[in-house]
Amino acid sequence: MIKALIIEDEKPSARRLQRMLKKIGVEVISTLHSVEESTSWLLQHEQTELIFLDIQLSDGLSFEIFENVEVDSAIIFTTAYDEYALKAFKLNSIDYLLKPIDEEELEKAVDKYQSNRNYSRQNLDMKNLKSLLNFSASEYKKRFTVPVGQHLRLISVEEISCFYSESKTTYVHTLDGRNYPLDISLENLEQQLNPEKFFKISRQAIINVKTIEDIIAYSNSRLRLKVQSFRGFPLIVSREKVKEFKRWLT
């Protein structure tokens, strides 16, 4: 049985990936959630054959791990950065999986590893890959891929009214009134969006400036927003965000 390590800062995503790997006969030895935690673990434990590695962790890019630890495991990257990851990974011949991870694609990636177990971190030019990703990070997300039953739907940012968090899940709400779950936190999502178009008004929501229909004075010096098609909970600009929000609008 293949032994693997998951490095992923989104705990629900890590649990989902672990369940999927178990189905195809991969044993997950541990799940780690930050650069610091992963570096410490790798220095103290025997390395696994395979690592599933998210690029953006809670305390920085996962490439920082390789600056402190000599990693010989084969690596399959997991990423939500579909706008630029394809180019960077193809140039470096690295296997990768786009979030939300598809079970069939996951199985293909593991099969690819099994057919070439000599493939390891030593084949990768981490410095070059990191520079490619950092360079491309200025290219904000233009679309999102979401699962719809057995299909995938591409959602352009122009179709998005807002993003919101509810019951520990992040959703994208589209102008046609639909909601789709995303495998990413609002905090990480904020970093991928063009700040000229999107604003995080609270811990619960990010809104698209083009979809604001009305701004209403609310209690405790806050603001309430009405945005196109969203009829869920009240969209309130938190008090500490009001001043910044008003500047953002101008």
Side-chain angles (χ1 to χ4, degrees), residues 159-224:
E159 301 176 61
I160 295 169
S161 177
C162 64
F163 300 90
Y164 67 94
S165 178
E166 194 169 53
S167 301
K168 298 182 179 180
T169 301
T170 301
Y171 296 90
V172 55
H173 180 80
T174 56
L175 294 174
D176 60 4
R178 296 173 182 265
N179 301 297
Y180 301 94
L182 294 176
D183 198 13
I184 187 173
S185 67
L186 282 185
E187 288 73 20
N188 284 342
L189 184 59
E190 183 183 19
Q191 299 171 22
Q192 301 179 32
L193 298 168
N194 188 335
E196 293 182 3
K197 297 180 179 180
F198 292 90
F199 188 90
K200 188 169 180 283
I201 61 170
S202 67
R203 293 180 180 179
Q204 272 194 294
I206 298 173
I207 56 94
N208 182 346
V209 65
K210 289 185 178 181
T211 67
I212 297 175
E213 296 180 327
D214 200 3
I215 304 174
I216 308 154
Y218 198 67
S219 63
N220 295 323
S221 302
R222 295 175 296 172
L223 298 172
R224 178 176 177 178

Side-chain angles (χ1 to χ4, degrees), residues 209 243-250:
V209 65
K243 190 173 181 179
E244 183 184 353
F245 177 72
K246 287 179 178 178
R247 283 200 307 267
W248 178 70
L249 289 173
T250 59

